[in-house]
Amino acid sequence: MRPESIPDYLAVVGDSADGFPGLPGWGVKAAALTLSQYPHLEGIPKDWREWHPSIRKARLLSESLFNAWSDSLLFRTLATLRLDVPVFDTVEDLRWKGPRPNFEEHCQRLKSPDLLARARRQNR
């Protein structure tokens, strides 16, 4: 399996860090083997009989994938690192400058007054 297949892999096996379950029947071995033959979900034949013979349980995997096609595409989108969204302009933007003006309000809502004091200490 190649690096560009990782979002497709996570789409079918799931990713607990991002909170999506994956597809029934798709374990790590089946996903790795399938995606080594077909790097992206769109390349996987709809007819399981056309799948590479090395892929076991092709019929079950195919049914699972194509019955949950829209979910698998959503899961892949969630697993894809976005490069088109600006995060910061300069490294200086990442430097800690202290809590934002409304931070005290958040601390009160969280019933954690010591959090504000700790944040202010970090600003020194």
Side-chain angles (χ1 to χ4, degrees):
M1 187 177 76
R2 298 170 53 159
E4 59 267 14
S5 299
I6 290 175
D8 300 82
Y9 172 86
L10 292 172
V12 294
V13 299
D15 184 7
S16 61
D18 286 328
F20 53 88
L23 303 180
W26 283 85
V28 295
K29 289 181 183 177
L33 184 57
T34 303
L35 292 169
S36 69
Q37 297 296 323
Y38 312 102
H40 297 290
L41 299 177
E42 292 85 357
I44 299 173
K46 291 194 191 283
D47 184 347
W48 64 271
R49 291 171 288 228
E50 296 176 15
W51 286 32
H52 192 275
S54 66
I55 302 170
R56 300 180 66 180
K57 299 183 183 177
R59 182 178 188 168
L60 294 171
L61 295 172
S62 175
E63 289 171 358
S64 176
L65 176 62
F66 293 110
N67 287 336
W69 183 251
S70 60
D71 285 345
S72 65
L73 296 180
L74 172 62
F75 298 158
R76 182 177 64 185
T77 298
L78 293 172
T80 302
L81 180 63
R82 301 260 324 254
L83 300 174
D84 61 332
V85 179
V87 178
F88 57 91
D89 293 320
T90 67
V91 173
E92 184 61 30
D93 293 343
L94 300 175
R95 188 173 310 279
W96 170 255
K97 297 174 182 85
R100 293 183 177 180
N102 63 347
F103 188 69
E104 184 172 5
E105 177 185 321
H106 292 293
C107 292
Q108 290 172 353
R109 200 167 347 124
L110 293 170
K111 296 181 175 133
S112 184
D114 61 318
L115 186 58
L116 179 61
R118 287 183 12 221
R120 286 184 174 153
R121 276 195 304 271
Q122 293 297 320
N123 195 32
R124 295 180 187 162

